[in-house]
Amino acid sequence: MAINFEEYQNFGKEQFEAVQTAATELSKQFQAIAAETTDYSKRSLESGAAFVEKLLGVTKFDQAIALQQDFAKASYEGFVAEMSKLGEMYAAVAKEAFKPVEGAIAKVKASAN
Protein backbone atom coordinates (compact mmCIF):
# COMPACT_ATOMS: atom_id res chain seq x y z
CA MET A 1 0.00 0.00 0.00
CA ALA A 2 2.84 2.39 0.85
CA ILE A 3 4.43 1.67 -2.52
CA ASN A 4 1.34 2.93 -4.35
CA PHE A 5 1.28 6.07 -2.22
CA GLU A 6 4.96 6.71 -2.95
CA GLU A 7 4.37 6.14 -6.67
CA TYR A 8 1.54 8.67 -6.67
CA GLN A 9 3.62 11.07 -4.64
CA ASN A 10 6.58 10.75 -7.04
CA PHE A 11 4.25 11.10 -10.03
CA GLY A 12 2.78 14.29 -8.57
CA LYS A 13 6.22 15.66 -7.80
CA GLU A 14 7.47 14.91 -11.32
CA GLN A 15 4.43 16.58 -12.86
CA PHE A 16 4.80 19.61 -10.62
CA GLU A 17 8.45 19.96 -11.64
CA ALA A 18 7.53 19.54 -15.31
CA VAL A 19 4.87 22.24 -15.06
CA GLN A 20 7.24 24.53 -13.18
CA THR A 21 9.93 24.07 -15.84
CA ALA A 22 7.38 24.66 -18.61
CA ALA A 23 6.10 27.80 -16.87
CA THR A 24 9.63 29.18 -16.67
CA GLU A 25 10.18 28.46 -20.37
CA LEU A 26 6.80 29.99 -21.27
CA SER A 27 7.72 33.13 -19.37
CA LYS A 28 10.95 33.41 -21.37
CA GLN A 29 9.08 32.89 -24.62
CA PHE A 30 6.46 35.51 -23.76
CA GLN A 31 9.27 37.94 -22.93
CA ALA A 32 10.79 37.22 -26.35
CA ILE A 33 7.41 37.90 -27.99
CA ALA A 34 7.06 41.16 -26.07
CA ALA A 35 10.58 42.22 -27.09
CA GLU A 36 9.89 41.35 -30.74
CA THR A 37 6.62 43.29 -30.68
CA THR A 38 8.37 46.29 -29.13
CA ASP A 39 11.13 46.16 -31.75
CA TYR A 40 8.58 45.96 -34.56
CA SER A 41 6.66 48.93 -33.15
CA LYS A 42 9.87 50.94 -32.94
CA ARG A 43 10.85 50.06 -36.52
CA SER A 44 7.33 50.90 -37.71
CA LEU A 45 7.37 54.31 -36.03
CA GLU A 46 10.83 55.08 -37.43
CA SER A 47 9.67 54.06 -40.89
CA GLY A 48 6.59 56.28 -40.58
CA ALA A 49 8.68 59.23 -39.45
CA ALA A 50 11.09 58.75 -42.36
CA PHE A 51 8.12 58.60 -44.73
CA VAL A 52 6.73 61.90 -43.41
CA GLU A 53 10.14 63.55 -43.81
CA LYS A 54 10.37 62.35 -47.41
CA LEU A 55 6.79 63.42 -48.09
CA LEU A 56 7.50 66.93 -46.85
CA GLY A 57 10.34 67.20 -49.36
CA VAL A 58 8.20 66.22 -52.36
CA THR A 59 7.30 69.02 -54.78
CA LYS A 60 5.06 67.18 -57.26
CA PHE A 61 1.79 65.37 -56.65
CA ASP A 62 2.89 62.34 -58.72
CA GLN A 63 5.99 61.96 -56.55
CA ALA A 64 3.84 62.07 -53.41
CA ILE A 65 1.56 59.33 -54.77
CA ALA A 66 4.52 57.14 -55.77
CA LEU A 67 6.14 57.68 -52.39
CA GLN A 68 2.93 56.78 -50.59
CA GLN A 69 2.50 53.64 -52.70
CA ASP A 70 6.05 52.53 -51.92
CA PHE A 71 5.53 53.20 -48.24
CA ALA A 72 2.22 51.30 -48.17
CA LYS A 73 3.75 48.33 -49.98
CA ALA A 74 6.79 48.20 -47.68
CA SER A 75 4.60 48.60 -44.59
CA TYR A 76 2.29 45.79 -45.68
CA GLU A 77 5.17 43.45 -46.49
CA GLY A 78 6.82 44.23 -43.16
CA PHE A 79 3.56 43.64 -41.32
CA VAL A 80 2.95 40.27 -43.00
CA ALA A 81 6.52 39.16 -42.27
CA GLU A 82 6.22 40.23 -38.64
CA MET A 83 2.89 38.48 -38.16
CA SER A 84 4.35 35.29 -39.64
CA LYS A 85 7.26 35.50 -37.22
CA LEU A 86 4.97 36.15 -34.26
CA GLY A 87 2.71 33.29 -35.37
CA GLU A 88 5.69 30.94 -35.26
CA MET A 89 6.63 32.24 -31.83
CA TYR A 90 3.10 31.70 -30.50
CA ALA A 91 3.05 28.18 -31.98
CA ALA A 92 6.26 27.44 -30.07
CA VAL A 93 4.59 28.72 -26.89
CA ALA A 94 1.62 26.41 -27.45
CA LYS A 95 3.90 23.42 -28.00
CA GLU A 96 5.86 24.22 -24.86
CA ALA A 97 2.69 24.67 -22.81
CA PHE A 98 1.45 21.23 -23.85
CA LYS A 99 4.66 19.38 -22.91
CA PRO A 100 3.65 18.65 -19.27
CA VAL A 101 0.33 17.25 -20.47
CA GLU A 102 2.12 15.06 -23.03
CA GLY A 103 4.42 13.77 -20.31
CA ALA A 104 1.53 12.95 -18.01
CA ILE A 105 -0.36 11.16 -20.79
CA ALA A 106 2.73 9.13 -21.70
CA LYS A 107 3.26 8.09 -18.07
CA VAL A 108 -0.38 7.08 -17.67
CA LYS A 109 -0.22 5.03 -20.88
CA ALA A 110 3.06 3.42 -19.79
CA SER A 111 1.70 2.48 -16.36
CA ALA A 112 -1.52 1.12 -17.92
CA ASN A 113 0.44 -1.27 -20.12
Side-chain angles (χ1 to χ4, degrees), residues 33-108:
I33 289 171
E36 180 62 33
T37 303
T38 301
D39 290 344
Y40 173 72
S41 297
K42 183 179 176 184
R43 289 190 310 266
S44 181
L45 287 172
E46 289 171 353
S47 174
F51 166 70
V52 170
E53 286 180 24
K54 288 180 185 177
L55 191 61
L56 291 174
V58 170
T59 57
K60 295 182 181 178
F61 184 71
D62 292 343
Q63 291 174 335
I65 296 297
L67 186 63
Q68 196 281 329
Q69 287 175 339
D70 292 342
F71 175 73
K73 181 180 176 184
S75 294
Y76 176 75
E77 290 171 352
F79 175 77
V80 169
E82 187 66 22
M83 291 305 107
S84 295
K85 185 174 184 178
L86 286 174
E88 291 171 5
M89 292 175 85
Y90 277 111
V93 167
K95 287 178 186 176
E96 187 66 33
F98 194 66
K99 279 184 181 179
V101 176
E102 286 177 334
I105 291 171
K107 285 201 176 241
V108 169

